[in-house]
Amino acid sequence: MKKRIFLLCCSVMLLFGCGQKEVENAQKPSTQEENTDSSDETPEQSCQAKVTFFDVGKGDAILIETSEHQIMIDAGYDDTSEIILDYLKEQGIESLDYMLITHFDKDHVGGADRIMEEIRTERVLQPDYESDSGQYQEYREIMERQGISPEPITKTTKLSLDGVDFLIYPPQRKSYGEEDNDFSLVVSMVCGERSFLFAGDAEKERLKELLIQNEFGLSHDVLKVPHHGRKEKNSEEFLKAVSPELAVITSSEEKPADEEVCKILEKLGTDIYFTCDGTVTCICDGRELLME
């Protein structure tokens, strides 16, 4: 096992430790349909992905790095954006291929304007609704100034970047009892034999949609636990359906995850990581998962 971890670390150092490649000339796949980034790739080829869950308190800010592309899922708060910007600068990342905002609560969209102000962002994906919050207005204003047209995701959308496949599953209704959280875009990512599920702030009604949909299988190796570990009436059913090997909960010491959710995951044999203990990184080579 130690030998496998050593080999995985070496491959990651080669991939991510030598600086990020510019993507100005990379082919940009379109949304709303399945597409690939390289016609030379075959299913047998290995893939690489590094997923960073930033410690931004009770908020989401997740960076996915493949061999040549970068995707940001949510952007934390306005006052935590420097954490993300510092990391991007340290890694030599000068652009994002995608900024995906799951929904418009301030702990998800708050830092987006400051990040896009300093980091070139090619495309922005978002749910198909609007908000009247100040953070949302700042997010809209920076896109207008930079000539970015956000792309509402209204149907299941597939992307493929460097052999890593993404499926974005949008909300199925125009209104919910919970005004923002249940509009969360949910993202399934597959890298080789391994899979990741990013569940935004999905609450009871959105979890019910996920449980009955047939667009993709719910079982995943790594789960970004929905809504910072808050328990819903159908949380246990959902967590059992996902049955993750690893789970990341984006919470804070002041607002921790519900104990019931942690106990359910523990009974499933899931290893739980909390961003309140510090930024969590998961490195995947298509077979192995290494948590840092």
Side-chain angles (χ1 to χ4, degrees), residues 54-62 72-81 84 100-112 115 129 133 135-136 178 180-181 184 200-203 224-229 250-252 255 275:
F54 291 98
D55 175 9
V56 293
K58 190 190 76 66
D60 280 12
I62 303 162
M72 192 93 210
I73 298 179
D74 289 328
Y77 296 90
D78 181 72
D79 61 3
T80 61
S81 57
I84 301 159
L100 186 152
I101 302 298
T102 61
H103 64 295
F104 301 132
D105 277 351
K106 64 181 181 180
D107 55 325
H108 294 255
V109 74
I115 292 171
Y129 81 106
S133 72
Q135 298 292 334
Y136 174 77
E178 206 303 316
D180 282 291
N181 290 339
S184 292
D201 273 2
E203 294 193 26
K224 200 295 293 187
V225 176
H227 202 192
H228 317 291
T250 55
S251 59
S252 66
K255 297 180 180 179
T275 57

Side-chain angles (χ1 to χ4, degrees), residues 15 27 29 34-49 66-69 159-166 190-192:
L15 178 61
Q27 177 184 350
E34 186 171 8
N35 43 76
T36 58
D37 209 48
S38 174
S39 58
D40 295 327
E41 290 186 348
T42 64
E44 290 76 24
Q45 283 184 287
S46 63
C47 58
Q48 302 277 353
T66 64
S67 58
E68 295 188 25
H69 296 82
L159 307 172
S160 185
L161 302 172
D162 308 317
V164 180
D165 296 324
F166 298 85
V190 176
C191 178

